[in-house]
Amino acid sequence: MRQPWKNDMNWSDVTPKAAWLNRRQLIAGGAAAVAAGPAWAKLDYKTSALSTDETPNTLEEITTYNNYYEFGTRKSDPAANAHTLKTDPWSVEIAGLVDKPGTYDLAELMTGLPLEERIYRFRCVEAWSMVIPWIGFELGKLLEKVGTQPGAKFLRMETVVRPEEMVGQRSRILDWPYVEGLRLDEAMHPLTIMATGLYGEELPNQNGAPIRLVVPWKYGFKSIKSVVKIELVAEQPVNTWQAINAREYGFYSNVNPEVDHPRWSQASERRIGGGLFAKRIDTQMFNGYGDQVASLYDGMDLTKNY
Ligand code: MTE
């Protein structure tokens, strides 16, 4: 797999840092993994065949142009403000229609779930896009681990609420906590990951540390950050943006160039980093992941289920 940003690096360059930065996974992997030393980092995550071979955006672009309203509404706010969030220790509550409910420490949650590098296109509902080299594990594998019960049809996730550490939560810009949802088959799809890193390192706070959802065929707002609760439910949950304006933001939020946002076109996008005069690129159905995911929506009217 092509890794254009690593052209001038080899494994011995990246290993010590990766080994340090993936300490949570080292903990999850146990003492044997630690004893394996630098070689472990090579095994730590694999580049996935599900990656795009498009050139990723730079780390600078990915970490300075963010939407994370818990830290402010401007694109530069999260990079300036998110350092105040304490992401270690971190635990995630697994609740609802599951066999093994409970509050899991992050390392415990990740135990036995292989990390992969997934280079995905990321399309924001605001008609900009990036290519991001995430590190994460498949959400489906986590759901298998905790065991979903037959009545579970949807998933509902929540972001942490800590106004003392998240300056944006001190005002009512949104109704906290930020909430997102998926249909169970969407959550089980192999493209759907929980990201814990990017560019070979742990997630920066502004990108949703220590753990956030990534669903590459959906608009970026589905990719909820700093997740503390995953609940398996029977009924379709209401997500934050839908609650604010259901006419503009639906539950499905699949990238679809044929269904415009009521206030702007979704037919094309601006790739961040391309410069002011860069040509806009055509947005692809399901953000280019149609071959893998279109069948999830067979028979559905996507103009109604937007
Ligand atoms: N998650 C939380 N908790 N709060 C937010 O404001 N913004 C969403 C999504 N997840 C948001 C969130 C939106 S609109 C987008 S486009 C992506 O995060 C941005 O992710 P990025 O900053 O890593 O590119």
Side-chain angles (χ1 to χ4, degrees), residues 125 221 241-242 245-250 260-264 306:
V125 74
F221 69 85
W241 288 102
Q242 195 184 8
N245 191 338
R247 204 175 72 87
E248 298 192 358
Y249 307 101
D260 287 338
H261 186 280
R263 289 182 281 136
W264 61 82
Y306 52 87

Side-chain angles (χ1 to χ4, degrees), residues 6 9-21 41 45 200:
K6 282 185 183 162
M9 288 174 108
N10 58 40
W11 276 115
S12 64
D13 292 319
V14 300
T15 297
K17 199 169 186 199
W20 174 72
L21 286 155
Y45 60 85

Side-chain angles (χ1 to χ4, degrees), residues 14-263:
V14 300
T15 297
K17 199 169 186 199
W20 174 72
L21 286 155
N22 288 293
R23 63 183 188 279
R24 290 177 196 281
Q25 192 63 8
L26 288 170
I27 295 161
V34 178
W40 163 251
K42 277 192 202 174
L43 308 173
D44 203 11
Y45 60 85
K46 297 198 207 78
T47 297
S48 167
L50 294 170
S51 290
T52 167
D53 59 8
E54 282 168 79
T55 304
N57 281 83
T58 64
L59 184 62
E60 165 87 9
E61 286 156 0
I62 295 169
T63 56
T64 57
Y65 192 88
N66 301 101
N67 278 332
Y68 198 170
Y69 279 22
E70 284 83 343
F71 296 107
T73 55
R74 288 174 305 179
K75 298 286 181 273
S76 56
D77 285 340
N81 300 331
H83 61 92
T84 52
L85 179 66
K86 292 190 196 73
T87 60
D88 193 6
W90 193 267
S91 51
V92 180
E93 184 189 350
I94 308 284
L97 302 166
V98 284
D99 296 333
K100 296 176 197 153
T103 300
Y104 294 81
D105 175 71
L106 186 56
E108 192 188 351
L109 187 86
M110 290 169 68
T111 301
L113 306 176
L115 286 182
E116 284 190 353
E117 179 167 76
R118 294 279 180 91
I119 307 166
Y120 281 160
R121 281 183 292 279
F122 187 83
R123 170 62 156 79
C124 182
V125 74
E126 298 161 336
W128 52 264
S129 65
M130 294 202 206
V131 174
I132 305 182
W134 304 107
I135 311 277
F137 59 86
E138 289 181 12
L139 174 57
K141 298 218 163 108
L142 171 63
L143 295 176
E144 278 166 21
K145 183 170 129 172
V146 297
T148 55
Q149 298 183 343
K153 301 285 183 253
F154 295 90
L155 225 111
R156 184 182 179 280
M157 291 196 191
E158 284 182 16
T159 294
V160 71
V161 179
R162 282 190 210 158
E164 63 287 3
E165 295 175 25
M166 303 172 105
V167 67
Q169 282 184 342
R170 291 174 213 160
S171 41
R172 303 274 313 208
I173 330 156
L174 298 179
D175 194 11
W176 317 111
Y178 195 96
V179 171
E180 258 309 334
L182 292 173
R183 216 168 59 189
L184 190 60
D185 59 345
E186 298 176 322
M188 297 294 292
H189 194 280
L191 283 175
T192 303
I193 59 168
M194 297 304 294
T196 58
L198 64 83
Y199 264 119
E201 306 192 354
E202 284 190 348
L203 271 186
N205 279 9
Q206 58 267 42
N207 293 92
I211 181 165
R212 59 91 61 83
L213 177 68
V214 177
V215 194
W217 71 94
K218 293 181 181 282
Y219 292 120
F221 69 85
K222 297 298 279 185
S223 292
I224 180 172
K225 294 173 164 177
S226 306
V227 171
V228 288
K229 184 171 181 184
I230 302 176
E231 192 178 3
L232 280 296
V233 295
E235 306 293 332
Q236 183 173 304
V238 176
N239 50 300
T240 291
W241 288 102
Q242 195 184 8
I244 290 173
N245 191 338
R247 204 175 72 87
E248 298 192 358
Y249 307 101
F251 175 78
Y252 284 94
S253 323
N254 292 319
V255 175
N256 188 341
E258 288 155 25
V259 177
D260 287 338
H261 186 280
R263 289 182 281 136

Side-chain angles (χ1 to χ4, degrees), residues 247-295:
R247 204 175 72 87
E248 298 192 358
Y249 307 101
F251 175 78
Y252 284 94
S253 323
N254 292 319
V255 175
N256 188 341
E258 288 155 25
V259 177
D260 287 338
H261 186 280
R263 289 182 281 136
W264 61 82
S265 164
Q266 293 290 21
S268 70
E269 64 203 54
R270 176 175 67 92
R271 183 63 54 87
I272 298 302
L276 228 51
F277 304 104
K279 241 181 93 194
R280 293 184 70 88
I281 46 185
D282 290 341
T283 290
Q284 302 175 67
M285 188 68 200
F286 297 114
N287 202 24
Y289 298 95
D291 286 352
Q292 290 115 299
V293 302
S295 62

